[in-house]
Amino acid sequence: MRLANILHLGIKELRSLRRDPIMLMLIIYSFSLSIYSQARAMPETLNKAPIAIVDEDQSPLSTRIVAAFYPPYFLPPAMISWSEMDAGMDDGRYTFTLDIPPNFQRDVLAGRQPRIQLNVDATRMSQAFTGSGYIQSIVSGEINAFVQRYRRLAALPVDLELRVKFNPNLNKIWFNAVIAVINQVTMLSIILTGAALIREREHGTIEHLLVMPVTPLEIMMSKVWTMGLVVLVASALSLTVVVQGFLSTPIAGSLLLFLVGTALHLFATTSMGIFFGTITRSMPQFGLLMMLVLLPLQTLSGGRTPRESMPDFVQHVMLAAPNTHFVMLAQGILYRGAGLDIVWPQFLALAFIGAILFGLSLARFRKTLGTMA
């Protein structure tokens, strides 16, 4: 293996990428607008949910409950009559309708435990699930605060002192922004390397390489380092400009340490891209394969859902995936400020998995070139 060949072939890959506007737009979009939109969208978060209230009591307590609903979680409540409630839900104007019955305050003070009716439009699943809990908590809190003015409530034997670490404001933008960068690193590194190999085959330039004094290892290494470098630089810029700049998301740990871990992860994922590029014959086939591969990788890696909540079999199988360890080290460094003394097992696992994937991809690449020669 000659480093000069790897360098020159890599420069050729960068020039080829520069002349591919579709890939360039994909890289720019994935690490800019995509990160921003994923962080800001937050479909699981309640935001300006439309709510209507039927106040049949017209008491100080019911007025207090109505005033407790305000942005950003809810829109200002629409005060409607009982006859308008079902029609508003059917038309989709309200996600929630709350019916406060007559004599509600009197029954509460008398200890009769009256009931409030809450209607939920479950077709808006994310808002319905989260909003129901919010409304129950708000109504219960207002009733308890109101009742305490009239009769003494028994104190709880235990007082829960809640302390939130790493994200004290429970701001989901902080979480979504970093996870989006992690997912884009995995996706782009596989797609770019696989597409680079398929592009060589479709343009017929792979035959030119076969007659040159270069080895399959040099060809593969050139694609690995160039595509890995592009994703590494793009992820660093995204964390600095988009995540820390536009989204104002703090990074707790060392950005340099994270980039070192990202480089190890890219060594593994770019090798995967080469492997997938050798078993597909065209870009449409490669795109279909990516749909089958990327979704399980991103869903089961622990980025969105804790691995501990998954079945044991899935947890054990996903240890063979490089992005499982990448998610662990990325969250440890960027969220909790972990150092090398904490994340070194993930670094070691990525190096080991990357070496295996690189060896398998090189063997497959040599076999593919042998059939074309």
Side-chain angles (χ1 to χ4, degrees), residues 6-25:
I6 297 176
L7 176 62
H8 293 306
L9 288 173
I11 294 174
K12 178 192 72 70
E13 292 293 337
L14 293 176
R15 290 173 176 170
S16 179
L17 180 63
R18 186 184 63 183
R19 292 192 294 268
D20 192 337
I22 301 300
M23 283 299 176
L24 289 178
M25 290 301 300

Side-chain angles (χ1 to χ4, degrees), residues 335-350:
Y335 289 153
R336 298 182 286 273
L340 184 59
D341 58 325
I342 296 178
V343 297
W344 69 264
Q346 285 75 47
F347 275 67
L348 190 62
L350 283 175

Side-chain angles (χ1 to χ4, degrees), residues 86-231:
D86 289 341
M89 295 286 288
D90 294 340
D91 293 342
R93 295 197 302 269
Y94 315 121
T95 303
F96 308 97
T97 57
L98 197 66
D99 183 10
I100 304 175
N103 303 319
F104 177 71
Q105 176 178 307
R106 185 183 66 184
D107 292 340
V108 167
L109 295 177
R112 298 193 184 98
Q113 296 183 338
R115 296 182 179 180
I116 294 181
Q117 181 182 5
L118 173 63
N119 300 313
V120 182
D121 182 2
T123 59
R124 301 173 179 179
M125 188 60 199
S126 59
Q127 283 194 342
F129 180 78
T130 307
S132 299
Y134 276 47
I135 293 174
Q136 292 179 40
S137 177
I138 290 172
V139 172
S140 298
E142 293 299 326
I143 293 175
N144 290 335
F146 183 82
V147 170
Q148 284 179 0
R149 297 167 50 191
Y150 293 91
R151 63 172 182 262
R152 184 178 180 85
L153 298 179
L156 295 176
V158 177
D159 186 16
L160 177 62
E161 185 70 25
L162 180 62
R163 297 180 180 178
V164 182
K165 298 189 67 176
F166 312 123
N167 190 354
N169 296 327
L170 297 178
N171 189 342
K172 293 189 177 181
I173 293 178
W174 293 12
F175 176 79
N176 289 348
V178 173
I179 287 299
V181 173
I182 294 173
N183 288 336
Q184 298 297 356
V185 167
T186 301
M187 181 187 72
L188 263 296
S189 57
I190 296 177
I191 290 178
L192 289 180
T193 48
L197 180 59
I198 295 175
R199 185 170 56 239
E200 297 268 21
R201 186 185 300 120
E202 290 180 343
H203 294 174
T205 54
I206 192 71
E207 286 82 1
H208 297 169
L209 294 176
L210 292 177
V211 297
M212 295 176 62
V214 293
T215 64
L217 177 60
E218 294 170 350
I219 298 174
M220 182 172 167
M221 283 292 297
S222 67
K223 298 183 184 299
V224 167
W225 82 258
T226 51
M227 298 301 110
L229 178 63
V230 169
V231 176

Side-chain angles (χ1 to χ4, degrees), residues 23-34:
M23 283 299 176
L24 289 178
M25 290 301 300
L26 176 62
I27 296 171
I28 295 172
Y29 169 78
S30 298
F31 285 103
S32 57
L33 185 58
S34 177

